Amino acid sequence: MDNATLSGVRRLLAEKGLRPHKGLGQNFLVDKNILQKITTAAECTKNDVVLEIGAGLGALTLCLADLAGQVVAVEIDKKLIPILQKVFESRSNIALISGDILALDWEKEIFGFLKSPRDKIIICANLPYYITSPVIFKILEHRNRIRQAVLMVQREVAARLLAVPGSRDYGLITVNVNRMAEVEMIARVSRNCFYPSPEVDSAVIRLSPRSRSPVMVENEEVFAELVKAAFQARRKTMLNVLVSRNMADRDKAMEVLLSLGVDPNRRGETLSIEDFAQIANRLS
Ligand code: SAM
């Protein structure tokens, strides 16, 4: 049985009388070239524990199990569990967890597979797109236990994560993610690489949590408020953002921006993460 080809996936589902569950984001990868790009980018060795989010029919899981020491595969759809148990039958290094990745206790159920508290897992996922943001925030929350995450996401999400200041795609998520992780584009993926084809194209990205943030933020709350305010009012000047949000009076706002060499008429959407951090530090 080949669970990584269009005919194999169709046959497997038909044999079990199943249809892809749209609500669970079931778009199965049927392109071996892309599977290989994901596993290469994951850089896993026999010493590594790899978490796969959304095992589906097990195509990516099997590739990962060939390379990693241990694979922890999580799948929410109970109808797929018996199929996966059969597919993984002869693989002793795959642990299958039937459940919702967002509801699991990661510390116990996932990091418990690591040998030492200093070890880190690798994450690989052809993500169900409806949970992209919460999964990314889980990854950032647990970043000190994660070496890297190779994720299939919608092309437009990849564009937002990789956007530069001043561009249309640059926003809150760009700043918040890039502060804590390095983001790289691994591959652009056509919608035709999936069964069924989703309505959008995709991309594989790699998130590598930073051991140290590139910018020093003195007060997280002020930084968060500033960045949120700047992107909620993208067309306002930075001076107006600070004043209208009562983050500073006009004189103080002018003084802070000018002292940092930031033109008070610049829009917040053109500022770099370093600019935001410096302004927040002066305000806090
Ligand atoms: N890994 C397979 C592949 O590449 O062909 C399947 C990928 S498919 C895009 C996403 C998978 O995630 C589906 O099997 C879906 O049932 C599962 N899934 C959806 N929501 C989930 C959740 N909250 N927790 C765990 N798995 C989930």
Side-chain angles (χ1 to χ4, degrees):
M1 181 224 33
D2 193 345
N3 56 2
T5 61
L6 180 57
S7 55
V9 165
R10 290 179 114 144
R11 195 174 333 117
L12 197 52
L13 291 170
E15 271 169 22
K16 308 288 171 193
L18 295 175
R19 283 167 178 229
H21 192 311
K22 215 176 165 186
L24 289 177
Q26 288 181 358
N27 300 100
F28 302 104
L29 244 180
V30 290
D31 186 306
K32 291 188 177 170
N33 184 29
I34 300 296
L35 279 172
Q36 203 198 335
K37 285 192 175 161
I38 296 176
T39 52
T40 304
E43 298 175 325
C44 47
T45 70
K46 286 288 169 196
N47 294 323
D48 291 309
V49 174
V50 180
L51 162 67
E52 191 200 356
I53 301 171
L57 296 171
L60 178 56
T61 330
L62 290 183
C63 299
L64 292 169
D66 287 338
L67 301 167
Q70 173 74 52
V71 180
V72 183
V74 180
E75 175 52 58
I76 200 172
D77 188 350
K78 292 205 161 40
K79 291 193 180 139
L80 298 184
I81 298 296
I83 302 181
L84 288 171
Q85 283 167 336
K86 183 114 204 316
V87 171
F88 301 157
E89 206 165 43
S90 61
R91 303 294 190 113
S92 57
N93 66 340
I94 301 178
L96 177 59
I97 299 180
S98 168
D100 176 352
I101 189 64
L102 299 175
L104 293 185
D105 177 345
W106 285 39
E107 209 55 61
K108 225 171 37 201
E109 292 171 274
I110 297 165
F111 305 134
F113 283 92
L114 292 169
K115 289 199 182 80
S116 121
R118 279 195 307 277
D119 290 348
K120 297 183 179 194
I121 61 158
I122 293 170
I123 298 180
C124 272
N126 169 16
L127 278 180
Y129 293 151
Y130 77 104
I131 57 168
T132 303
S133 293
V135 165
I136 289 180
F137 286 107
K138 276 267 180 206
I139 291 171
L140 297 180
E141 179 191 333
H142 293 291
R143 63 189 178 281
N144 58 343
R145 307 298 319 266
I146 297 168
R147 173 136 38 95
Q148 53 199 28
V150 180
L151 308 174
M152 178 82 73
V153 297
Q154 284 183 40
R155 187 85 57 90
E156 111 194 17
V157 174
R160 281 202 262 148
L161 295 176
L162 289 155
V164 293
S167 63
R168 195 194 53 186
D169 291 319
Y170 187 62
L172 197 56
I173 194 169
T174 324
V175 172
N176 287 337
V177 173
N178 280 269
R179 242 189 92 199
M180 296 183 200
E182 187 189 339
V183 186
E184 294 163 272
M185 171 68 92
I186 301 296
R188 286 161 210 283
V189 182
S190 149
R191 63 193 75 186
N192 301 325
C193 297
F194 302 89
Y195 172 76
S197 295
E199 275 149 27
V200 291
D201 289 319
S202 299
V204 178
I205 56 161
R206 179 165 56 197
L207 294 187
S208 310
R210 301 180 193 276
S211 47
R212 213 180 296 151
S213 172
V215 294
M216 217 270 294
V217 169
E218 283 166 19
N219 184 322
E220 286 294 332
E221 273 175 32
V222 175
F223 179 83
E225 192 190 342
L226 175 71
V227 177
K228 201 168 152 202
F231 288 112
Q232 269 176 354
R234 295 183 75 107
R235 309 200 66 78
K236 272 195 184 158
T237 65
M238 234 12 238
L239 179 65
N240 282 341
V241 167
L242 295 182
V243 175
S244 65
R245 289 297 183 116
N246 291 326
M247 298 187 77
D249 62 29
R250 207 172 176 79
D251 289 346
K252 169 84 176 161
M254 273 297 234
E255 183 223 304
V256 166
L257 294 172
L258 290 175
S259 70
L260 294 170
V262 175
D263 180 345
N265 290 321
R266 254 174 85 182
R267 290 179 183 161
E269 63 182 5
T270 67
L271 298 183
S272 66
I273 304 177
E274 289 79 2
D275 293 330
F276 281 121
Q278 284 183 335
I279 297 172
N281 289 347
R282 287 295 306 275
L283 291 173
S284 54

